[in-house]
Amino acid sequence: MCLSLSVEPIIGGHEKGIMSGIREDPKWEFPRKNLVLGKTLGEGEFGKVVKATAFRLKGKAGYTTVAVKMLKDHASHSELRDLLSEFTLLKQVNHPHVIKMFGACSQDGPMYLIVEYAKFGSLRNFLRESRKVGPSYMSGNDANRNSSYLENPDERALTMGDLISFAWQISRGMQYLAEMKLVHRDLAARNVLVAEGRKMKISDFGLSRDVYEEDSYVKRSKGRIPVKWMAIESLFDHIYTTQSDVWSFGVLLWEIVTLGGNPYPGIAPERLFNLLKTGYRMEKPENCTEEMYNLMLRCWKQESDKRPIFADISKELEKMMVKNRDYLDLAASTPADALLYDDALSEEDTPLVDCNNAPLPRTIPSTWIENKLYGRISHAFTRF
């Protein structure tokens, strides 16, 4: 059932503020009185996500913990349309590595999207928090895992195998979206959620666009865009395809291997235009195999048709999981330099600047980057 959009601009508050003229979809409508909102889990300029409890969700007895996505009072007509677009999109998707929607509240108040709750929050924050965990319990073999690991597997330190698994799960979710002909347009560690059991869930489809009849979406409206995750054709020509999502996935791989590092550390977003055009790509992180880095570089090919497709990326990562028997103690191998984690140096949503007037970046030798970011790293390898 399609949603009929006839929406007034949001003027603020919960009255004129929201939903005049949105037709109810009985299959997805959830009684507002059965939803108890809790603490805020995250928020942006126009929207926020709160933890909530839903009573008799999908006919299930008792209460279910969920997350609820909503707009802030000062959000505009455009933001509401984006939320409704996400609602329409999430009705269509059903995959273990894509966030699941349970329902919505669209009548008699603000629009709420009710989605599954991911207890560990965003992948970026999860990776950064993991740096604080002590040495991994995994040593020579399964017999040496201590009782704490067996009792709380979600709390053990990350291994390289875990990181490959995270990447593989996300690639499977993106393969599904590609097969559905859906372009995400904002794939990044901040938009992947980590559920119980360290299950990856692709989320935040506010920028996603349906391309059932076209293979690309050309962005015509100006706005704030995630420059450091964007493919070269998206930056220069405003073209978004599944293959531009592949470029973003390469940046996401870099985020995973660096445990939540900021891409292109120390480089201002407006300098990237000329940098990328001249063939510059990020250096191999210290904790990264040649095989994984080679995958990143192929995701960053200038010609989109030369990048791997998500189906092939999934197969490659699966092979890495199977054959990789080296264990890297990431808890003892994380960058100590604040530059890698300084968000102020990397505006995630940066206004598109005039490419012709963008200043040329200073040349940064690869050795400088590696020494600056990873100079104080110690790492240990143990073979199973």
Side-chain angles (χ1 to χ4, degrees):
M1 192 177 289
C2 292
L3 217 60
S4 172
L5 299 184
S6 174
V7 191
E8 294 178 357
I10 300 176
I11 303 178
H14 284 174
E15 287 145 358
K16 235 168 173 165
I18 308 267
M19 320 285 322
S20 171
I22 293 180
R23 186 178 301 165
E24 177 182 338
D25 185 340
K27 180 181 176 182
W28 292 94
E29 191 68 20
F30 185 77
R32 199 177 292 270
K33 61 183 175 59
N34 287 6
L35 196 63
V36 180
L37 302 181
K39 68 175 183 179
T40 298
L41 298 172
E43 57 185 310
E45 188 177 355
F46 299 107
K48 65 178 179 178
V49 180
V50 303
K51 189 175 180 180
T53 304
F55 179 62
R56 300 193 66 177
L57 183 68
K58 295 288 185 182
K60 181 182 175 183
Y63 293 91
T64 304
T65 301
V66 295
V68 176
K69 189 168 187 177
M70 65 186 71
L71 295 174
K72 292 184 173 179
D73 287 347
H74 65 276
S76 70
H77 181 275
S78 173
E79 275 78 47
L80 176 55
R81 282 192 173 272
D82 280 347
L83 188 63
L84 292 171
S85 174
E86 185 168 358
F87 178 39
T88 302
L89 185 150
L90 286 175
K91 291 179 186 180
Q92 306 168 35
V93 299
N94 183 19
H95 189 274
H97 298 303
V98 178
I99 203 76
K100 183 179 181 62
M101 184 175 71
F102 295 125
C105 301
S106 67
Q107 306 298 305
D108 305 318
M111 180 74 178
Y112 293 159
L113 296 190
I114 305 167
V115 299
E116 63 183 311
Y117 172 65
K119 68 179 287 187
F120 294 112
S122 78
L123 175 59
R124 186 179 70 161
N125 289 340
F126 177 78
L127 290 168
R128 291 182 175 187
E129 286 295 315
S130 74
R131 298 164 60 229
K132 303 173 185 176
V133 178
S136 172
Y137 298 123
M138 297 184 66
S139 53
N141 54 54
D142 287 349
N144 289 331
R145 296 181 183 183
N146 77 10
S147 59
S148 180
Y149 165 77
L150 297 173
E151 292 168 10
N152 302 294
D154 280 354
E155 295 177 11
R156 65 175 170 78
L158 295 178
T159 68
M160 186 57 73
D162 291 325
L163 300 190
I164 297 172
S165 171
F166 296 170
W168 175 78
Q169 292 179 56
I170 298 164
S171 74
R172 292 288 291 165
M174 289 305 299
Q175 180 182 344
Y176 168 80
L177 293 178
E179 289 166 355
M180 292 282 289
K181 304 236 175 183
L182 293 168
V183 179
H184 191 286
R185 294 181 69 234
D186 196 16
L187 182 61
R190 63 182 174 275
N191 289 332
V192 174
L193 299 177
V194 185
E196 192 165 3
R198 293 177 168 178
K199 296 292 189 297
M200 302 294 113
K201 305 280 184 176
I202 298 165
S203 72
D204 206 336
F205 293 84
L207 291 178
S208 303
R209 293 296 180 268
D210 187 347
V211 288
Y212 278 109
E213 297 180 5
E214 297 179 66
D215 285 335
S216 67
Y217 172 81
V218 179
K219 186 174 186 291
R220 295 182 177 89
S221 60
K222 292 184 178 179
R224 295 168 70 82
I225 55 176
V227 170
K228 291 194 173 185
W229 285 260
M230 289 171 63
I232 201 163
E233 69 272 12
S234 305
L235 284 171
F236 284 91
D237 302 316
H238 314 311
I239 293 173
Y240 297 85
T241 67
T242 291
Q243 291 310 99
S244 61
D245 278 346
V246 167
W247 177 296
S248 302
F249 182 80
V251 181
L252 174 54
L253 283 178
W254 189 93
E255 290 185 274
I256 289 173
V257 172
T258 59
L259 297 184
N262 265 329
Y264 307 97
I267 299 173
E270 61 271 14
R271 293 188 173 188
L272 273 181
F273 294 91
N274 287 320
L275 252 183
L276 296 175
K277 202 82 166 181
T278 57
Y280 173 83
R281 300 295 183 264
M282 281 190 285
E283 298 291 326
K284 181 173 80 70
E286 185 80 7
N287 297 333
C288 185
T289 64
E290 289 291 344
E291 193 173 23
M292 181 69 82
Y293 183 58
N294 180 55
L295 178 56
M296 291 180 202
L297 290 178
R298 283 185 288 125
C299 289
W300 300 331
K301 289 279 189 184
Q302 182 152 331
E303 299 83 4
S304 62
D305 60 351
K306 292 185 179 177
R307 298 169 202 155
I309 62 173
F310 279 114
D312 292 338
I313 291 172
S314 297
K315 290 174 186 173
E316 284 194 44
L317 289 167
E318 193 168 331
K319 288 177 183 176
M320 286 187 210
M321 284 193 294
V322 170
K323 76 179 184 180
N324 187 301
R325 284 317 198 203
D326 285 330
Y327 162 59
L328 176 59
D329 182 0
L330 291 166
S333 315
T334 51
D337 199 291
L339 178 61
L340 189 64
Y341 299 94
D342 187 352
D343 291 324
L345 292 172
S346 174
E347 285 290 332
E348 286 168 354
D349 296 320
T350 305
L352 187 60
V353 299
D354 182 352
C355 304
N356 297 320
N357 295 326
L360 279 169
R362 58 190 174 91
T363 301
I364 302 178
S366 60
T367 51
W368 181 90
I369 294 178
E370 292 193 355
N371 290 337
K372 181 68 176 168
L373 298 181
Y374 305 106
R376 293 193 292 277
I377 296 175
S378 63
H379 54 276
F381 290 89
T382 305
R383 183 168 293 280
F384 281 108

